[in-house]
């Protein structure tokens, strides 16, 4: 004999105080968990997933990042015609010469941060094809124009469409805004490569070249050929590897945050299971009554499990709404979260709670519901009815 | 205070107790008056809802009357605040409940010693007295047992030990045999009578156990919040005897 | 104290629940404490390292926009300047590490000691530093990390300049937290000239200036910036404290968000613990009524319930603080100097962190104890006894 579903659901409704308390606890866990997951996935997007598997980075031998590398015009002219480089519709090679400088930017709050400014040619958009202009247009070379990443937008004085940005020795007119799937490009400002070299008084025009290969199997031979070329002392590596290395020092940070999240998850999860446990344990006598009336253990277990899951689901909905609202508040309040990367420039992270984060939180809520509800219900259902009744 | 046998220890004067349950006003007791002499073993009897438990709560200072006076050993309980009542109970009353109500996480000795925590006695003395009380109830070999390892009768005897350990003037028992089988019930009633006989305690008990009539000095009968007197009381007592006889005919439960 | 037995017995009532609640509180304290060590590290850095007479002079446009080396001499001649030393980022990677694992700079060997008298580098070592072109002075943190000692020879590969340089360690900055390495500027200059750069180094990244008198600091900063006005490299001068606080400024937002999220999580855990505790007390309503009937006063009951929660949470809190100390020890070993964490990575457990952790656990205890204890103690005996009789 089974217990009707309505018994479980009516219990959820009837014990409103206790339901809300337990659901509230589950909701808190969901909030904590999804906020942390949001932070982690945002960090991950920026730190780890920058770079395209079809791209290679060319730098001076020995330098470990864009900011400290130098490259001559001759070197660029030579390698852009190497075999294996993809070409655009006009049959021009997809090799983007770039200069990286880290000038001070003034934050809106009056602070000062190093921002990665990348000097580029129009071909850059074809090589970094995840960078898309979402507002305005691409900059025109030699006209003092800049485009800014989404993370930079609004963070610094003048970093908005149509405004003038002041950095280096000049003012730059912002004509476009780009996004890059949350990768660290979004924390950059792009200007014309020649103008930047002049402004920074660099003896060498470029810091490196980014190359899109035509076919994946040409990637390794191309890297070897650049490495082995005796004329320029250059070094090439996969763009994904380059960014993975860049984020190595940030890995400590990432591990730290993940560690905290795991600890917090355990703490909150156990706490919530504990609450659930207490809630069901308090009803031992009721379970005894049901047993005395002749309901089977299975029926009682199922019924309590349904109830626990219903409470967990209510908790999840409450928690998910809260965490979306909270993360929106934090975004508005703090804008992006900046932190220094290895190049001493600021990476801006936007805290976003994604669907995947919420899905994980839902799973956690259901596990808490199951784990917390099962133990005491199982124990109570195994008691002889008379003993359960005596626990009144 | 001195408890000379015969002088009234408890005086109940025109006591009424009403309380609100939901929208209804319940008249639990209506203008009840009675005296209980010191050193007597008294039973309050009556069906459920007759007000006997309410009367017991008033006598033991757990509850306060809506009207009238409850005077125990010369102290008018109406005059005391909640906390003063608590202190008063700790000094003068020993309580025994139907479901024993021992603290499950404490051993028999610690349960009995519990009320002594409220005195100024040192630890050794508290332990000594607790063990003495347990000896009185015949449980000297169960000192370190926890309630769940004791039988119902044993648990109730621990509870009685807890009630007498402070040497109170008044022992109050609410259905002390309600959850026990016949043999244990008689043993408990006998123990309560011995407390009166050997230690001169005043014992007030609520019960609807007909066996109790054989042990008590006086039985008071209540019905619908009113104390029955004369003819009515005699008839109620007779009814209980008859039902006890009938129950006896069916044999022990 | 005589109630201790009762309190402890009650804690042992449901050992699993007590353990889970205690564990949750411990985790909350641990989380908050570990996170608090990060800003504590930054504060310690700013307060210990920065002096009130030191000034940083750098290009207004950014640290990578260098200044002509000659400007250093001009700064040195300014009235009130006790010493000035040009610094250039070398970005040297120690071979075994493969990347830059500690900050290293080319400095003017004859000046650096005078700018950093507070670093207490022995005079003999400073003299050796000037005598040997390939000499290096290394902070004790880095010395210990790689097991170096004075007299050792090491090689650094620059990630900025196209050179690899061999050094001999001639001195140590006797500070447990200093990761720095100073090398001789002339040594790098010659190496670059040998590489076919006739101009050599030629630049200064930052000029660190020590004022003779803290009163003169503002005047010196004004004079320096006036000197460079309308040149190709206009400078921005600031105090050492302001420099580092700006340098690590972006970390503050990060700390804020982490603290905020962690705070929220800790709060969640606290509420959960409080909720569980109050459920536990509610289950014991009957028992509490018995205690009251026996004669335990409201205040006494309240106190024992509160003591129960407080004992549990302070034990858990202590455990949290102790594990914080343990975890930061482990983090020290693994993290070392970290470019993206800066002084946040120092994970310094200061006494204020400990106090805050204990305070938090007591707060949890109060919260988890007061509410249910108050409710239980306040209820009139008869109301709860109804459930008992």
């Amino acid at each position: 004999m089974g217990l009707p579903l309505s018994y479980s659901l009516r219990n959820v409704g009837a014990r409103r105080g206790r339901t809300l308390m337990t659901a509230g606890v589950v909701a808190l866990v969901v909030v904590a968990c999804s906020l942390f997951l949001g932070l982690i996935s945002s960090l991950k997007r920026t730190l780890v997933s920058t770079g395209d598997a079809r791209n290679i980075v060319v730098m001076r031998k020995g330098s470990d990042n864009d900011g400290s590398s130098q490259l001559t015009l001759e070197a660029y002219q030579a390698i852009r015609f190497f075999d294996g480089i993809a070409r655009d519709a006009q049959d021009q090679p997809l090799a983007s010469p770039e200069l990286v400088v880290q000038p001070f930017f003034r934050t809106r709050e009056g602070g000062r941060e190093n921002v990665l400014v990348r000097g580029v040619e129009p071909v850059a958009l074809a090589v970094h094809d995840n960078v898309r202009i979402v507002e305005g247009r691409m900059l025109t070379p030699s006209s003092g124009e800049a485009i800014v990443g989404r993370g930079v937008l609004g963070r610094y004085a003048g970093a908005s469409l149509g405004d003038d940005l002041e950095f280096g020795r000049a003012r730059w007119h912002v004509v476009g805004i780009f996004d890059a799937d949350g990768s660290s490009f979004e924390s950059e400002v792009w200007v014309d490569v020649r103008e930047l070299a002049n402004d920074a008084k660099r003896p060498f025009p470029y810091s490196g070249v980014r190359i899109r290969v035509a076919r994946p199997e040409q990637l390794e031979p191309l890297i070897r050929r650049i490495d082995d070329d005796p004329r320029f002392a250059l070094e090439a590596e996969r763009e994904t590897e380059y960014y993975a290395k860049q984020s190595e020092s940030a890995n400590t940070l990432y591990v730290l945050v993940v560690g905290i999240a795991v600890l917090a998850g355990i703490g909150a999860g156990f706490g919530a299971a504990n609450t659930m446990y207490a809630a069901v344990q308090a009803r031992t006598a009721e379970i005894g009554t049901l047993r005395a009336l002749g309901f089977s253990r299975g029926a009682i277990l199922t019924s309590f499990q349904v109830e626990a899951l219903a409470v967990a689901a209510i908790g999840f909905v409450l928690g998910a709404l809260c965490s979306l609202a909270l993360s929106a508040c934090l975004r508005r309040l703090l804008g992006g979260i900046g932190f220094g990367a290895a190049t001493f420039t600021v990476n801006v992270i936007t805290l976003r709670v994604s669907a995947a984060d919420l899905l994980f939180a839902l799973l956690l809520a259901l596990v808490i519901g199951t784990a917390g509800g099962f133990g005491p219900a199982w124990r109570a259902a195994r008691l002889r009815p008379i003993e359960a009744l005596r626990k009144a | 205070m001195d408890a000379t046998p015969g002088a009234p220890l408890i005086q109940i004067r025109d006591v009424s107790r009403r309380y609100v349950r939901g929208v209804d006003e319940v008249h639990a007791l209506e203008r009840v008056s009675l005296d209980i002499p010191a050193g007597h073993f008294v039973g309050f009897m009556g069906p459920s809802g007759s007000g006997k438990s309410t009367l017991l709560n008033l006598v033991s200072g757990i509850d306060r009357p809506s009207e009238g006076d409850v005077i125990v050993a010369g102290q008018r309980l109406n005059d005391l605040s909640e906390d003063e009542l608590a202190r008063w109970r700790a000094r003068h009353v020993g309580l025994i409940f139907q479901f024993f109500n021992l603290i499950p996480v404490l051993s028999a000795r610690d349960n009995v010693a519990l009320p002594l925590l409220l005195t100024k006695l040192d630890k050794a003395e508290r332990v000594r007295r607790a063990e003495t009380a347990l000896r009185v109830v015949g449980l000297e070999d169960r000192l370190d047992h926890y309630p769940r390892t004791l039988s119902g009768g044993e648990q109730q005897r621990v509870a009685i030990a807890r009630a007498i350990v402070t040497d109170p003037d008044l022992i109050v028992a609410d259905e002390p045999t309600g959850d026990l089988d016949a043999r244990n019930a008689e043993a408990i009633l006998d123990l309560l009578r011995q407390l009166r006989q050997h230690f001169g305690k005043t014992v007030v008990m609520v019960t609807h156990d007909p066996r109790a009539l054989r042990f008590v000095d006086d039985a008071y009968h209540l019905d619908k919040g009113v104390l029955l007197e004369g003819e009515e009381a005699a008839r109620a007592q007779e009814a209980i005897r008859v039902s006890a006889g009938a129950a006896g005919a069916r044999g022990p439960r | 104290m005589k109630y201790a037995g009762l309190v402890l017995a009650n804690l042992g009532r449901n050992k699993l629940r007590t353990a889970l609640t205690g564990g949750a509180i411990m985790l909350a304290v641990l989380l908050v404490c570990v996170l608090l060590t990060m800003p504590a590290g930054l504060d310690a850095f700013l307060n210990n390292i920065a002096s009130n007479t030191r000034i940083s002079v750098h290009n207004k446009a950014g640290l990578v926009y260098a200044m002509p080396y000659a400007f250093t001499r001009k700064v040195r001649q300014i009235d009130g300047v006790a010493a000035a030393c040009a610094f250039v980022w070398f970005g040297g990677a120690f071979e075994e590490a493969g990347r830059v694992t500690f900050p290293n700079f080319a400095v003017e060997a004859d000046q650096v000691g005078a700018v950093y008298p507070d670093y207490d580098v022995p005079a003999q070592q400073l003299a050796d530093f000037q005598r040997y072109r390939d000499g290096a002075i290394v902070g004790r943190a880095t010395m210990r990390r790689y097991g170096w000692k004075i007299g050792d020879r090491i090689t650094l590969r620059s990630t900025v300049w196209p050179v690899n340089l061999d050094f001999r360690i001639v001195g140590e900055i006797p500070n447990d937290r200093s990761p720095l390495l100073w090398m001789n500027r002339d040594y790098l200059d010659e190496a670059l000239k040998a590489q076919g750069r006739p101009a050599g180094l030629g630049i200064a990244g930052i000029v660190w200036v020590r004022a003779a008198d803290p009163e003169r600091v503002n005047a010196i900063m004004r004079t320096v910036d006036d000197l460079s006005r309308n040149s190709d490299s206009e400078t921005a001068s600031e105090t050492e404290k302001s420099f580092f606080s700006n340098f690590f400024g972006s970390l503050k937002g990060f700390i804020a968000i982490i603290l905020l999220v962690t705070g929220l999580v800790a709060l969640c855990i606290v509420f959960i613990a409080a909720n569980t505790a109050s459920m536990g007390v509610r289950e014991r309503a009957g028992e509490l009524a018995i205690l009251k009937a026996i004669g335990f006063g409201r205040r006494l009951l309240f106190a024992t319930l509160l003591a129960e929660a407080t004992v549990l949470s302070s034990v858990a809190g202590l455990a949290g603080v102790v594990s914080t100390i343990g975890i930061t020890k482990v983090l020290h070993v693994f993290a070392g100097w970290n470019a993206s964490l800066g002084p946040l990575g120092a994970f310094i457990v200061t006494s204020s962190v400990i106090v805050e952790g204990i305070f938090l656990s007591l707060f949890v205890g109060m919260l988890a104890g007061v509410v249910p204890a108050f409710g239980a103690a306040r209820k009139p005996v008869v109301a709860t006894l109804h459930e008992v009789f």
Side-chain angles (χ1 to χ4, degrees):
Chain A
M1 183 164 51
L3 279 160
L5 186 63
S6 60
Y7 170 77
S8 307
L9 298 185
R10 212 164 293 152
N11 260 321
V12 172
R15 304 161 184 275
R16 219 160 280 149
R18 185 155 276 186
T19 297
L20 268 183
M21 244 177 169
T22 318
V25 164
V26 176
L28 287 174
V29 176
V30 169
V31 169
C33 174
S34 52
L35 276 185
F36 255 122
L37 286 172
L39 187 61
I40 288 172
S41 57
S42 309
L43 264 174
K44 189 160 190 168
R45 262 200 309 279
T46 313
L47 295 179
V48 184
S49 17
T50 301
D52 191 304
R54 300 163 296 174
N55 283 3
I56 59 178
V57 178
V58 183
M59 292 182 305
R60 176 183 65 77
K61 238 183 197 83
S63 69
D64 60 358
N65 68 68
D66 276 340
S68 62
S69 169
Q70 295 145 351
L71 206 82
T72 59
L73 188 62
E74 297 75 45
Y76 161 63
Q77 291 295 3
I79 54 176
R80 81 187 280 248
F81 293 110
F82 279 10
D83 285 340
I85 298 177
R87 288 176 179 257
D88 65 8
Q90 283 76 46
D91 205 34
Q92 290 301 304
L94 293 184
S96 163
E98 297 172 3
L99 173 64
V100 165
V101 179
Q102 305 101 312
F104 288 147
F105 275 54
R106 256 206 335 284
T107 63
R108 287 228 192 272
E109 290 82 36
R112 182 178 81 195
E113 288 178 351
N114 292 316
V115 174
L116 194 148
V117 175
R118 191 178 294 277
V120 295
E121 289 186 359
V123 69
L125 282 182
V127 175
H128 305 287
D129 54 8
N130 68 333
V131 172
R132 286 173 309 266
I133 308 280
V134 288
E135 243 182 285
R137 56 173 173 82
M138 178 61 179
L139 61 96
T140 321
S142 311
S143 49
E145 290 175 353
I147 57 174
V148 300
R150 191 167 252 175
V152 173
L153 186 67
R155 186 179 177 86
Y156 304 101
S160 51
L161 196 59
D163 239 341
D164 278 343
L165 255 179
E166 221 174 306
F167 65 83
R169 295 178 169 98
R171 287 168 156 271
W172 312 76
H173 190 60
V174 179
V175 297
I177 295 158
F178 60 90
D179 82 10
D181 301 333
S183 69
S184 68
F185 286 119
E186 283 185 12
S187 309
E188 299 181 356
V189 170
W190 287 11
V191 297
D192 177 40
V193 65
R194 256 163 243 95
E195 284 182 310
L196 185 63
N198 285 337
D199 186 72
K201 302 196 186 313
R202 283 302 170 101
F204 297 91
Y206 308 124
S207 37
V209 183
R210 301 290 174 99
I211 291 169
R212 165 65 51 88
V213 294
R215 285 193 307 279
E217 66 270 20
Q218 289 167 317
L219 210 134
E220 283 304 325
L222 190 55
I223 288 177
R224 262 199 309 280
R225 175 150 181 220
I226 293 169
D227 283 351
D228 296 344
D229 196 301
R231 292 169 293 172
F232 311 112
L234 298 177
E235 201 167 17
E237 67 184 322
R238 292 164 188 268
E239 197 178 38
T240 47
E241 268 169 32
Y242 170 76
Y243 281 105
K245 256 194 242 164
Q246 292 303 298
S247 62
E248 227 166 63
S249 68
N251 272 351
T252 321
L253 186 77
Y254 183 68
V255 169
L256 186 76
V257 175
V258 172
I260 291 167
V262 167
L263 284 181
I266 292 173
F270 272 97
N274 201 6
T275 308
M276 199 68 120
Y277 196 95
V280 178
Q281 204 173 39
R283 288 165 63 190
T284 302
E286 185 185 337
I287 294 175
T289 312
L290 290 171
R291 289 279 287 135
L293 290 176
F295 288 100
S296 71
R297 281 171 195 163
I300 291 169
L301 266 181
T302 314
S303 162
F304 270 77
Q305 209 62 119
V306 169
E307 198 182 318
L309 290 181
V311 172
I314 294 173
F316 169 74
V317 172
L318 287 176
L321 290 176
C322 279
S323 63
L324 287 177
L326 263 175
S327 64
C329 274
L330 290 180
R331 263 204 306 281
R332 172 149 307 178
L333 220 69
L334 296 170
I337 310 143
F339 77 93
T343 46
F344 296 110
T345 55
V346 165
N347 257 314
V348 181
I349 293 164
T350 319
L351 177 65
R352 228 172 238 118
V353 175
S354 69
D357 301 332
L358 286 180
L359 190 72
F360 188 87
L362 174 64
L363 280 178
L364 185 66
L366 293 182
V367 166
I368 288 169
T370 314
F374 187 80
W378 171 254
R379 244 218 222 140
R382 273 190 359 176
L383 282 177
R384 286 190 297 122
I386 188 68
E387 286 168 9
L389 280 170
R390 283 281 291 281
K391 301 250 165 156
Chain B
M1 96 200 54
D2 53 344
T4 22
L9 179 75
I10 302 169
Q11 294 165 287
I12 294 170
R13 296 274 171 273
D14 276 337
V15 162
S16 298
R17 179 71 174 101
R18 292 181 281 272
Y19 48 89
V20 180
R21 184 173 281 171
V23 287
D24 302 325
E25 200 187 23
V26 179
H27 295 250
L29 278 182
E30 277 298 332
R31 304 180 63 79
V32 170
S33 298
L34 65 93
D35 284 355
I36 298 172
H40 271 219
F41 184 8
V42 172
F44 292 157
M45 308 188 83
S48 329
S50 61
K52 57 187 190 302
S53 286
T54 306
L55 186 55
L56 192 78
N57 288 344
L58 292 175
V59 167
S60 55
I62 287 171
D63 198 3
R64 274 184 284 191
S66 311
E67 277 166 25
D69 296 331
V70 178
I71 300 159
V72 180
Q75 173 68 54
R76 197 166 159 270
L77 299 188
N78 312 39
D79 298 340
L80 301 177
S81 72
E82 269 288 317
D83 284 335
E84 286 167 339
L85 267 180
R87 272 197 294 281
W88 180 81
R89 284 195 302 269
R91 288 257 305 279
H92 301 295
V93 184
L95 288 164
I96 301 164
F97 307 95
Q98 176 176 358
F99 298 114
F100 329 135
N101 288 310
L102 302 174
I103 306 299
V105 292
L106 299 179
S107 67
R109 187 199 284 111
D110 287 346
N111 259 293
V112 174
L114 203 55
L116 295 177
L117 285 180
L118 300 167
T119 64
K120 291 199 162 63
L121 300 174
D122 65 19
K123 179 152 197 229
E125 183 61 18
R126 293 202 300 268
V127 169
R128 201 184 61 76
R129 291 198 185 186
E131 288 175 357
T132 306
L134 280 164
R135 206 169 304 122
V136 167
V137 299
L139 286 179
E140 57 270 33
D141 53 344
R142 293 282 192 275
L143 298 175
D144 291 312
H145 285 233
Y146 282 85
R148 63 171 183 284
T149 63
L150 297 171
S151 74
E154 286 171 329
Q155 286 191 48
Q156 193 60 299
R157 281 195 270 167
V158 174
I160 290 173
R162 181 174 68 185
I164 61 173
V165 74
T166 52
D167 193 21
D169 309 298
L170 172 63
I171 292 170
V172 170
D174 190 355
E175 301 275 10
T177 60
D179 210 40
L180 296 175
D181 60 35
R183 198 169 50 81
N184 274 313
E186 299 232 353
I188 293 297
L189 287 168
D190 190 46
L191 185 57
L192 289 175
R193 186 167 57 183
Q194 284 176 31
L195 291 180
R196 168 209 180 289
Q197 282 170 349
H198 301 324
F199 301 97
K201 298 291 168 209
T202 310
V203 181
V204 179
M205 169 177 70
V206 156
T207 186
H208 49 243
D209 187 341
R211 281 181 293 255
L213 285 177
R214 287 194 276 118
F215 294 88
V216 297
D217 300 319
D218 308 297
Y220 294 94
H221 297 272
L222 289 105
D223 193 25
K224 300 194 177 75
V226 178
L227 185 66
L228 303 182
E229 281 168 291
E231 195 79 347
E232 282 180 300
R235 224 178 298 135
Q237 185 141 338
E238 194 50 36
I240 294 171
R241 273 193 224 287
V242 169
S243 76
R250 281 200 302 271
R253 49 173 179 154
Chain C
M1 264 301 104
K2 60 183 173 185
Y3 302 103
L6 188 61
V7 169
L8 290 180
N10 275 324
L11 280 171
R13 171 183 305 265
N14 189 333
K15 293 201 181 60
L16 177 69
R17 194 183 296 172
T18 304
L20 283 177
T21 310
I25 295 172
M26 187 195 108
L27 273 177
V29 171
L30 170 67
L31 281 180
V32 171
C33 281
V34 168
L35 267 293
L36 282 176
T37 61
M38 298 178 77
L42 185 55
D43 284 349
F45 181 85
L46 291 180
N47 291 331
N48 294 343
I49 308 285
S51 97
N52 61 346
T53 53
R54 229 167 359 247
I55 302 165
S56 119
V57 176
H58 50 77
N59 193 306
K60 201 167 122 192
L63 293 177
V64 295
Y65 290 68
M67 299 165 292
Y69 176 50
F71 190 66
T72 316
R73 223 171 24 243
K74 286 197 200 164
V75 171
R76 203 169 288 143
Q77 283 156 4
I78 293 171
D79 203 24
V81 170
C85 177
F87 273 59
V88 173
W89 177 252
F90 182 69
F94 177 55
E95 275 314 321
E96 269 101 291
R99 58 190 167 89
V100 183
T101 49
F102 51 90
N104 48 84
F105 298 93
V107 305
E108 294 171 282
D110 54 336
Q111 299 291 328
V112 72
V115 174
Y116 292 94
D118 48 329
Y119 279 24
D120 292 328
V121 180
Q124 181 55 46
Q125 297 178 359
L126 284 171
D128 286 349
F129 189 41
Q130 288 179 49
R131 175 136 34 98
Y132 301 107
R133 300 232 123 170
D134 60 348
I137 291 181
V138 187
R140 188 173 283 165
T142 297
M143 292 282 262
R144 288 215 178 127
R145 186 166 169 200
Y146 294 112
W148 295 341
K149 38 190 200 310
I150 291 174
D152 281 2
R153 289 185 171 275
I154 55 167
T155 302
L156 293 184
R157 171 178 60 79
S158 176
T159 57
V160 181
W161 312 99
V163 290
N164 290 353
L165 294 181
D166 298 323
F167 299 99
R168 77 171 92 179
I169 298 173
V170 297
E172 180 187 64
I173 301 168
N175 179 331
D176 286 347
R177 292 192 191 132
S178 173
L180 286 170
L181 182 147
W182 293 335
M183 67 189 74
N184 208 315
R185 178 187 171 91
D186 297 338
Y187 186 42
L188 174 59
D189 192 54
E190 279 163 20
L192 287 173
K193 282 178 179 148
Q195 284 278 320
R197 293 190 187 209
L201 195 49
I203 56 157
I206 301 179
V207 177
W208 284 105
V209 177
R210 189 169 65 81
D213 174 0
E215 303 279 302
R216 304 291 294 273
V217 164
N218 286 324
I220 293 172
M221 294 198 298
R222 255 196 317 277
T223 315
V224 171
D225 292 346
D226 285 344
L227 259 178
S228 67
R229 183 133 319 134
N230 297 325
S231 76
D232 255 357
S233 317
E234 291 193 14
T235 60
S237 304
E238 55 188 332
T239 62
E240 185 169 32
K241 200 161 189 167
S242 145
F243 175 83
F244 281 111
S245 132
N246 269 320
F247 192 77
F248 297 116
S250 58
L251 292 174
K252 285 182 196 146
F254 186 73
I255 295 177
I257 191 85
I258 296 243
L259 275 183
L260 210 66
V261 172
T262 310
L264 279 172
V265 172
L267 209 64
C268 290
I269 297 179
V270 167
F271 276 122
I272 291 166
N275 190 19
T276 315
S278 76
M279 278 176 151
V281 170
R282 227 174 303 140
E283 277 165 34
R284 276 155 58 192
E287 240 173 87
L288 293 172
I290 298 296
L291 286 176
K292 259 197 220 175
I294 288 177
F296 279 70
R298 283 177 300 180
R299 228 165 286 147
L300 182 53
L301 270 191
F302 184 75
T304 51
L305 284 174
L306 199 59
E308 208 179 307
T310 313
V311 166
L312 174 59
S313 64
S314 43
V315 168
L318 266 180
V321 168
V322 169
S323 31
T324 304
I325 295 171
I327 284 201
T328 49
K329 285 250 160 68
V330 175
L331 283 171
H332 285 161
V333 174
F334 282 102
W337 181 79
N338 185 301
S340 63
L341 286 177
L344 298 190
F347 296 111
I348 298 165
V349 185
T350 59
S351 52
S352 78
V353 169
I354 292 175
V355 169
E356 279 159 330
I358 303 263
F359 187 78
L360 172 74
S361 69
L362 286 179
F363 170 73
V364 177
M366 293 292 155
L367 193 71
V370 164
V371 180
F374 188 70
R378 202 191 41 183
K379 247 189 188 175
V381 208
V382 168
T384 27
L385 267 183
H386 267 304
E387 298 152 30
V388 179
F389 280 166

